[in-house]
Amino acid sequence: MEPMMPPMSRRKRVLVSAFACEPYKGSEPEVGWQWAMQMARFYEVTVLTQSLYKEGIESALKSLGSERPKPHFIYFDLPEWLQGLRKFSVGLRIYYVLWQKRGRAVVEREHRKNPFDLLHHVTFAAFRYPALIWGHGVPCIWGPVGGMESIPTPLLPWNHPVFFVVEVFRNLNNLLQAAPHSKLAKRAAASDTVLVSTMEMQSSLAKLKLPSQLIPTIGLQTRDLPHSSHRQSAGPLRIIFVGKIISLKGIDLALKALSDSGTDATLTFIGTGNYLPAARRCVEKLGLKDRVTFLGKLPREEVLAIYSTFDVMLFPSLHDTGGFAVIEAMFNELPVICLDCGGPAVAVRAGCGIRVPIGSRKSVIEGLAAAIRYYDGDRQALLAHGKAARETILDHYDWDKKGDQMNEVYAETLARASKQPREVS
C-alpha cells in the first residue's frame, strides 16, 4: 500500500489596498503596482484600486508571461457625482478619505465570500489619512508610510507667502499628529506591523512607544533599465536636478549654493512647477544665466538616457518621503547631494553621496556649496561614490529584492498574529 501524500497547503490570501496602482507611471501608481506584483509571487493577491487604472493594468497583465503569478484586481469607485473631486489637490484628498471609508464595505463583502489571511495598505503612502484595512479581524500591515517630515523654521519659504502658509500648516498638523492619543498613534496601534519609509516617521512612532520597521516604499525594476558606466569627466562639473519645481524641493537653496560654491559648475533642472517663475528670478538675481538651464518636463525614457551626461545630482528637498529621481540617478552612477532628511537621506548611504545636515539657512547653503566644491575638485571620489551609489540601489532598491524582504515581513506578521486572539470591530 502506497503511503498517502500530505495535502498541498494553499497559498495564503492577501488583500492589497492600492488607491493608486498602475505600471510605468512612476510615483504612487508605480508603488501600488509593484508591491501588488511582488507579493503575487508568494501569495494569492487581490488588489483593491480605482477603475481609472483598469486599462493600464489590464494591458500590462496581458503582456506578462503565463508562468508569472498575477494578482486579481477589484475596481471600486465612489459615485460618479463625487469623481470630479479628483481633479484638484484638496478634492483628491477628500475623495481619498471617502474611498477608504466606503471601501471597507467592499473588503467586508470579499472577506465573507472567501476570507483573507492578511490585509496590506500600500497607497497612498502617507500616514495622515485613514485606511480600510483595520478592524476586520485579520492581521494587517500599514505601509511603508511617511509624511512626518517637516520643514525646519529657518528653512521655510519666508519670501513666498502662499508657500509659507502651506508649509506652516503642514508643520502644525505634523505636531498634532505626533502627540499621544493622536490618530497616528491609534492607526499604528491598530496595525500588526507598521512599515515606515523615513527616519523621521520612525522617530515619531518611537516617541509614542510604537515599533516600526524602516523599508523605503519606492524601488526600481533594475533589470529593465538602461545603464551606461561613467568615465572621469573634465571641464565644469555637470549637476542635474530632476523633480517638481516647487518650494519644498529647496530650489532656492540649490541656486544659492551653486553661486557660493566658487566653481564654474553648471546646473540643469528637469521638471516644471509653480516655483519656476521664482526660480528664474533667482537665477537672474544671482547672475547664473550662463550656468543654469531649465529643460522643462521630459518623458521618463529621455530622463533615464540623459543621466549619463551628468556628473552628480543635487536634490535639496526639504520633506520628500520617497525620491524616485534620486534612486534613478544613483542607479546611473551619479552620487547625490541632498539634505539629511526624508527618503533621500535613507537612500544616500555613506560613500555614495553627501548628506548635508539640517540647520540654519546659512549652514545648509554652505554645506551644499562645500559638497559641490568637493566633487568639482576630486573627480576620482566622484567616480567612486557613483559606483557605490549604483551598488546601493541594486542591493536595497531592486523590486525583486524588496519583494523578498516584504515576504519576510508577511511571514513574521502572520506568525505573530497566529498567537494572538483577534476581534472584529
Side-chain angles (χ1 to χ4, degrees), residues 61-369:
L61 290 176
K62 288 179 182 177
S63 68
L64 297 174
S66 58
E67 72 283 354
R68 179 166 182 175
K70 303 176 184 65
H72 169 65
F73 288 84
I74 297 175
Y75 301 100
F76 167 66
D77 301 297
L78 296 183
E80 190 172 347
W81 61 274
L82 285 171
Q83 293 177 24
L85 289 171
R86 295 179 297 190
K87 295 179 181 178
F88 54 98
S89 179
V90 174
L92 176 61
R93 295 173 192 177
I94 295 170
Y95 186 93
Y96 176 74
V97 170
L98 293 173
W99 190 90
Q100 293 291 338
K101 290 181 178 295
R102 297 192 180 187
R104 283 181 55 85
V106 180
V107 177
E108 290 168 2
R109 182 192 70 211
E110 295 297 320
H111 185 49
R112 282 195 303 268
K113 286 174 16 183
N114 193 357
F116 294 107
D117 298 290
L118 182 73
L119 305 179
H120 184 190
H121 171 92
V122 295
T123 61
F124 286 152
F127 80 90
R128 64 188 77 246
Y129 305 109
L132 51 75
I133 60 171
W134 298 306
H136 299 281
V138 180
C140 56
I141 296 174
W142 187 34
V145 293
M148 193 53 80
E149 310 77 41
S150 299
I151 296 182
T153 301
L155 299 178
L156 287 167
W158 294 89
N159 296 328
H160 303 277
V162 174
F163 303 143
F164 176 82
V165 170
V166 169
E167 296 301 338
V168 166
F169 272 100
R170 186 180 186 279
N171 284 3
L172 290 173
N173 182 261
N174 279 355
L175 282 174
L176 292 172
Q177 292 277 9
H181 313 298
S182 67
K183 288 185 177 179
L184 169 61
K186 292 176 182 177
R187 290 165 183 166
S191 307
D192 292 81
T193 299
V194 180
L195 305 177
V196 297
S197 50
T198 67
M199 289 178 281
E200 291 87 347
M201 194 77 233
Q202 189 168 49
S203 175
S204 295
L205 288 167
K207 289 175 183 176
L208 296 170
K209 295 183 170 40
L210 292 166
S212 63
Q213 185 174 342
L214 182 65
I215 296 180
T217 192
I218 58 174
L220 296 175
Q221 201 70 56
T222 59
R223 67 174 180 270
D224 298 333
L225 295 179
H227 164 252
S228 299
S229 294
H230 269 222
R231 297 179 180 178
Q232 186 167 340
S233 62
L237 188 72
R238 300 162 299 182
I239 306 172
I240 187 172
F241 169 93
V242 179
K244 293 180 180 178
I245 312 296
I246 54 180
S247 61
L248 70 88
K249 298 294 185 179
I251 306 299
D252 56 330
L253 302 174
L255 292 170
K256 189 66 168 69
L258 179 68
S259 177
D260 291 357
S261 68
T263 69
D264 57 356
T266 64
L267 175 55
T268 299
F269 288 92
I270 297 178
T272 59
N274 56 18
Y275 196 78
L276 188 56
R280 292 187 184 279
R281 290 194 298 270
C282 188
V283 168
E284 291 276 357
K285 181 180 178 181
L286 294 171
L288 296 172
K289 282 188 66 176
D290 294 335
R291 294 168 57 195
V292 175
T293 304
F294 295 95
L295 294 183
K297 187 175 182 179
L298 299 178
R300 183 169 183 250
E301 294 75 18
E302 289 187 35
V303 177
L304 291 173
I306 212 172
Y307 280 125
S308 63
T309 65
F310 288 89
D311 301 309
V312 63
M313 168 171 273
L314 178 57
F315 196 83
S317 179
L318 294 155
H319 61 73
D320 212 299
T321 297
F324 265 106
V326 167
I327 63 173
E328 287 178 345
M330 292 173 67
F331 173 80
N332 283 282
E333 297 187 26
L334 268 65
V336 175
I337 301 170
C338 68
L339 302 187
D340 195 9
C341 62
V346 178
V348 182
R349 303 180 179 214
C352 58
I354 297 175
R355 300 190 305 268
V356 175
I358 297 292
S360 68
R361 180 179 173 83
K362 180 181 178 183
S363 70
V364 168
I365 291 172
E366 287 176 350
L368 293 172

